[in-house]
Amino acid sequence: MPDAIGAGTAARLEAWRRRIDGVLEAALSAHPAAERRLGEAMRHALLLGGKRMRPLLAYATGTAFGADETVLDAPAAAIELVHAYSLVHDDLPAMDDDALRRGQPTVHVAFDEATAILAGDGLQALAFAILADAGCSDAARVAMLRELAHAAGAGGMCGGQALDLAATGNGTASGLEALERLHALKTGALIRAAVRMGAIAAGAGDAERRRLDAYADALGLAFQIRDDLLDVEGESATLGKTPGKDAAQGKATFPALIGAEASRARLAALAAEMDAALAPFGPRADALAALGALAIRRSH
């Protein structure tokens, strides 16, 4: 992973952040909720900041292989909408019971539990509505819809959340292989889908997609290990959410299972895997490399 992100790459990432914020704002305005409070809750969940890692991955992958940003707007927005819905539901008392997200009250705290459930449902539905209207070929559109549905469903993110709930309270009871599978689904599935949808929109070849999968798989796991370390080491003001929740709830995490030092070593190994996967693409993969570095070094 690069020690520093070049000014040009940093500017591209910031431009994409501004772009996706505008796309998401426009999507909510174009598809207003039938009830005012529900619409406000959806906006609260979607527009109060965030790293925008998943849409950035879609833009970085797609543009690396020749796709226009206008074609990537729909998959970038769809992946962030699904991510936002998952956070709303993940924060509910029946799940992780979190009161703080991105430095703001979680949706069920700011509104109420019923409204939070409906807001999550609305965000998920909007994701597929937007992707169904993506400005690409019918074949690419269907392929992206299929990719997102599989990544978000019971064999992907939802399945990973179910495994996480089953492991909660067991602390270190899960083995390393089981823990990596849990997070490959809960966190990694949407990260892989973001990269894959960018590749689909750009018409990347099979060999290129295999390398992108290897990069995305390493990135997804690295992102989660860093998240686990931040929960142990971070502070609420920096994280924008409540630290120490994992240990308090007895969640199976990498630091709890293998220790903080071994977790950092695993991060370094995953960084090397990302470098190896992207190496044949040369400078066109600079934005992807930068996103990998940011995921590993982030403070929130």
Side-chain angles (χ1 to χ4, degrees):
M1 293 285 98
D3 291 331
I5 297 171
T9 299
R12 290 184 78 195
L13 295 179
E14 183 55 35
W16 287 333
R17 283 191 189 93
R18 292 194 300 269
R19 184 181 184 93
I20 192 57
D21 284 347
V23 171
L24 293 170
E25 173 79 48
L28 288 178
S29 298
H31 300 83
E35 194 271 333
R36 178 187 58 80
R37 187 172 170 82
L38 173 59
E40 290 174 353
M42 291 171 67
R43 294 181 71 84
H44 183 92
L46 188 63
L47 300 179
L48 290 183
K51 291 176 283 296
R52 306 300 193 208
M53 171 66 75
R54 292 151 192 84
L56 291 179
L57 285 168
Y59 284 124
T61 305
T63 56
F65 293 93
D68 191 271
E69 289 174 352
T70 57
V71 175
L72 297 167
D73 286 339
I79 199 77
E80 186 68 3
L81 283 158
V82 168
H83 175 57
Y85 122 73
S86 75
L87 296 182
V88 174
H89 284 190
D90 195 48
D91 288 336
L92 287 167
M95 297 283 190
D96 283 354
D97 194 15
D98 269 313
L100 197 63
R101 171 74 65 180
R102 295 169 177 167
Q104 301 288 334
T106 49
V107 178
H108 71 273
V109 172
F111 296 86
D112 55 70
E113 288 184 39
T115 301
I117 292 169
L118 292 173
D121 292 344
L123 291 168
Q124 180 182 209
L126 181 56
F128 288 96
I130 288 172
L131 197 53
D133 292 331
C136 55
S137 70
D138 290 345
R141 192 180 305 114
V142 170
M144 288 191 291
L145 285 164
R146 182 183 299 113
E147 188 63 49
L148 185 57
H150 286 324
M157 180 184 68
C158 286
Q161 176 70 357
L163 289 170
D164 192 27
L165 290 171
T168 298
N170 296 330
T172 61
S174 296
L176 183 58
E177 183 177 348
L179 185 59
E180 291 196 357
R181 176 173 179 265
L182 184 165
H183 289 303
L185 299 177
K186 182 180 177 181
T187 302
L190 281 191
I191 286 176
R192 174 187 269 214
V195 172
R196 282 187 169 183
M197 289 197 294
I200 290 168
D206 290 342
E208 293 167 328
R209 292 191 196 188
R210 284 192 293 272
R211 286 198 165 273
L212 290 168
D213 276 351
Y215 159 81
D217 289 345
L219 174 58
L221 188 55
F223 193 93
Q224 184 59 50
I225 293 174
R226 185 61 182 151
D227 221 42
D228 287 354
L229 285 167
L230 287 171
D231 188 74
V232 175
E233 302 168 346
E235 297 180 357
S236 181
T238 303
L239 293 177
K241 58 184 179 180
T242 308
K245 291 277 292 186
D246 292 344
Q249 294 177 336
K251 283 185 172 289
T253 68
F254 287 92
L257 187 62
I258 63 175
E261 185 175 347
S263 296
R264 293 189 193 95
R266 187 76 176 97
L267 270 181
L270 290 165
E273 288 181 26
M274 285 188 269
D275 284 342
L278 296 177
F281 302 142
R284 63 176 167 162
D286 282 353
L288 288 170
L291 289 169
L294 289 171
I296 285 177
R297 297 168 190 158
R298 64 197 170 95
S299 60
H300 62 283

